[in-house]
């Protein structure tokens, strides 16, 4: 059926990845015995959506072929801010320095291990975040179709060097408001 990738969610440790890969291999063997035609190589990745995975990204990267940063959950779990709970939703801030540092650390660990890092979730489709994410080295943006034109337009208008400068400045700022102001200023 084409190019298949498998991605495991809510992973926090290398042992979890190894266990999931064993289960995947058992299923592949079972399907093979049943005569089902299978691709020789299936890329296996993990969702990086809990802070533990981002902090241990260098330990997880050798176990997988790619990372997909789940921005919605990563933000929520990092800031202890349920975005669906009106009483704490105001704490849900994608440009919080802690969130940005976890994203940067994850991408850096992926590239050091020779794997790619993508992002799914609302942040990947946020035009304001586009230069920041590109500058951090994000390899793949996964978003709702409605976000594609604006993000594509922003990507075309940027050089990678410019995006890296924008990201470096953003990582040095003290709070989400300062990061947001910086990103708004470079959009103008």
């Amino acid at each position: 059926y084409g190019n298949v990738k498998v991605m495991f969610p809510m992973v926090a440790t290398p042992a979890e990845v190894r266990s999931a890969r064993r289960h995947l291999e058992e299923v592949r063997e079972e399907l093979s015995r049943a005569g089902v035609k299978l691709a020789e190589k299936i890329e296996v990745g993990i969702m990086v959506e809990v802070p533990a995975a981002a902090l241990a990204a260098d330990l997880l990267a050798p176990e997988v072929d790619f990372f997909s940063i789940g921005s919605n959950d990563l933000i929520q779990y990092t800031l202890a801010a349920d975005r669906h709970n009106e009483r704490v939703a105001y704490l849900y801030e994608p440009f919080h320095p802690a969130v940005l540092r976890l994203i940067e650390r994850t991408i850096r660990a992926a590239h050091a291990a020779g794997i790619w890092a993508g992002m799914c979730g609302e942040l990947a489709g946020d035009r304001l975040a586009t230069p920041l994410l590109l500058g951090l080295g994000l390899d793949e943006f996964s978003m709702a179709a409605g976000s594609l034109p604006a993000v594509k337009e922003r990507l075309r208008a940027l050089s990678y060097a410019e995006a890296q400068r924008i990201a470096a400045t953003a990582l040095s700022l003290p709070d989400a408001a300062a990061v947001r102001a910086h990103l708004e200023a470079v959009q103008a």
Side-chain angles (χ1 to χ4, degrees):
Y1 294 105
N3 187 7
V4 175
K5 294 178 176 74
V6 174
M7 185 166 49
F8 300 117
M10 293 294 175
V11 171
T13 68
E16 289 175 304
V17 176
R18 288 190 291 273
S19 175
R21 287 187 85 119
R22 279 192 301 275
H23 288 296
L24 177 62
E25 194 51 41
E26 288 169 9
V27 170
R28 286 177 54 84
E29 289 170 7
E30 186 178 312
L31 290 170
S32 182
R33 282 192 304 274
V36 176
K37 210 171 184 183
L38 303 169
E40 280 188 38
K41 171 87 169 105
I42 295 177
E43 281 189 74
V44 175
I46 61 166
M47 291 289 298
V48 177
E49 54 198 336
V50 295
L55 291 168
D58 60 323
L59 303 174
L60 292 163
E63 303 288 338
V64 296
D65 301 309
F66 66 92
F67 285 154
S68 182
I69 301 166
S71 65
N72 297 349
D73 286 335
L74 185 62
I75 295 163
Q76 178 171 296
Y77 297 135
T78 300
L79 301 175
D82 181 352
R83 64 189 182 273
H84 302 296
N85 181 332
E86 292 176 15
R87 288 188 258 173
V88 294
Y90 71 95
L91 296 170
Y92 183 89
E93 178 51 68
F95 299 121
H96 189 288
V99 172
L100 299 182
R101 289 173 183 177
L102 290 174
I103 292 169
E104 188 268 339
R105 181 184 187 119
T106 301
I107 295 168
R108 191 171 10 98
H111 293 167
I115 65 172
W116 59 271
M119 178 180 284
C120 61
E122 292 173 28
L123 190 59
D126 182 340
R127 186 180 190 279
L128 191 62
T130 301
L132 169 63
L133 296 173
L134 179 64
L136 292 175
L138 191 68
D139 299 300
E140 180 180 278
F141 293 69
S142 177
M143 66 197 73
S147 299
L148 282 170
V151 170
K152 189 175 179 180
E153 176 187 20
R154 187 64 182 127
L155 285 169
R156 283 184 173 158
L158 282 169
S159 72
Y160 187 57
E162 179 186 4
Q164 288 177 308
R165 286 190 296 275
I166 291 167
T169 299
L171 287 173
S172 73
L173 296 171
D175 56 42
V179 171
R180 188 175 293 280
H182 167 61
L183 295 175
E184 288 169 352
V186 298
Q187 294 266 346

